[in-house]
Amino acid sequence: MSYDKEILNEEFFRDRVPTVTLEGKRRWMYAWQPKGKFYNMRSVLSVFYLVVFFGLPFVTINGNPMLQLNVVEGKFSILGMLFWPQDFFIFGLAMVTMVVFVYLFTMIYGRLFCGWICPQTIFMEMVFRRIEWWIEGNPNKQRALKAAPWNMNKIAKKVLKHASFFAIAFLIANTFLSYIIGKDALLKIIREPVSMHFGGFVALMVFTFVFYAVYAFVREIVCTIVCPYGRLQGVLLDRNSIVVAYDYNRGEPRGKGKRPHEGMGDCVDCHQCVVVCPTGIDIRNGTQLECINCTACIDACNHVMDRVGLPQGLIRYASENEIAKKEKFKFSGRMKGYTVVLVLVLVGLATLLLTRNDVDATLMRARGQLFQEVGTDSLSNLYNLTLVNKTHGEVPVTLKLEGTTGRIRLIGNEHSLVTPAEGQGAATFFVILPKSEIKSRETKIKLAIYKGGKKMRTLKTIFLGYTE
Ligand code: SF4
Ligand code: SF4
């Protein structure tokens, strides 16, 4: 196995990006496949993740997609519930909740998300890199293939690898698009002539080329330079954060040779933790921005410790305080503060979700109108009602006045309204109140909206009018 000594330079590693050479060129990462319990666990989790990722667009709840984020039309379906631009305040609060959660989670668990859940890591390490190992062999063979002249063997391997990468990128792009426009719209793009869905076809190809470029060429640069979450690590982590860490108290002074050895630490300086690292760093230099907590170095080092007869865990999940002062995990004041904020926004979000209606309604008095006499004993006011149906089905509604003997007279002579699926309904109607119930110039009235026999919501408004 080989590794790049430049990366290991303890003096300069913080001044350099591991993916760039001293001459400013791209340094290609040839990571070895780790073997160990963490890699096995990540493999199992990635199978589950891939099944969920590719299967979710086909799952529906009550006829609505389980997850669809149609940013083009501003329609969202989450857990089968439809959300519209009118629900923007729910999204606003959901975003705040997510940001606080990410802060809190990162403060406690470091970049656990990057190594175990992030789609970029799962696809890169568990799908594309495995294909690369399978076609081109281990990093030594990959280096040899790169240096070899363009013969039939090299051409065949490169074509097979890039064709496989492109096919999977195309599959990912299809799935990704179905999360935006829905599976039915995607199937139309696939089945019908390109000319009928030119925009959708272009989007599909753009996504395909972007995914192909990311996994075939850009790779770990997404994590080390592009991803904003990765860039935030410096301000989110503290000495209590649990990260993948090298126990320098136990490992140093490092050096080759048999263990135990008087005056030597447990690190046998074998560089196994470096050659498996997909971002090309040496974790023995300390926590670094480039570390995606993929645990490959833990597996590699545990394997070495087994071979030399020392306990596992020279590289492990641990906080800086745990390693430096042998302190147990401490729930810091900053963590407590974020937890309180998180609980508050979660309660707010849950309240908004539980009190959210399938139909939004806006009631306004007609402009420029005061009141009219109706017969000798009543007055009327004219109102406009707008209804927004957020469901996939028609919603018939009925209007009723509450707390009065007055009545409603809909323009159009109907007593019930039907709001079309995913559309708007509007009604104009008179509210007629007996003069005996009008005590001042402004009378507060309540209008209830019923769906079937169930009251959905009550609207309050003012009835204008006076009697001699
Ligand atoms: S240092 Fe270890 S955990 Fe971090 S990216 Fe490299 S191999 Fe993964
Ligand atoms: S794998 Fe373990 S023993 Fe080998 S260099 Fe890394 S930390 Fe030291």
Side-chain angles (χ1 to χ4, degrees), residues 246 266-273 284 301 304-305 314-315:
Y246 166 68
D266 283 356
C267 175
V268 294
D269 208 15
C270 62
H271 300 114
Q272 296 301 304
C273 51
R284 294 175 301 168
C301 189
V304 175
M305 291 296 108
L314 180 56
I315 300 175

Side-chain angles (χ1 to χ4, degrees), residues 237-300:
L237 299 183
D238 62 22
R239 295 174 71 86
N240 286 312
S241 305
I242 298 167
V243 293
V244 172
Y246 166 68
D247 188 343
Y248 48 85
N249 278 332
R250 183 185 144 190
E252 300 297 318
R254 67 186 76 161
K256 299 197 185 307
K258 279 200 163 186
R259 296 294 194 279
H261 188 290
E262 189 66 31
M264 294 295 287
D266 283 356
C267 175
V268 294
D269 208 15
C270 62
H271 300 114
Q272 296 301 304
C273 51
V274 180
V275 296
V276 293
C277 180
T279 62
I281 59 170
D282 185 344
I283 193 65
R284 294 175 301 168
N285 288 331
T287 301
Q288 290 152 75
L289 194 70
E290 295 86 354
C291 175
I292 55 168
N293 276 220
C294 73
T295 68
C297 54
I298 300 184
D299 279 332

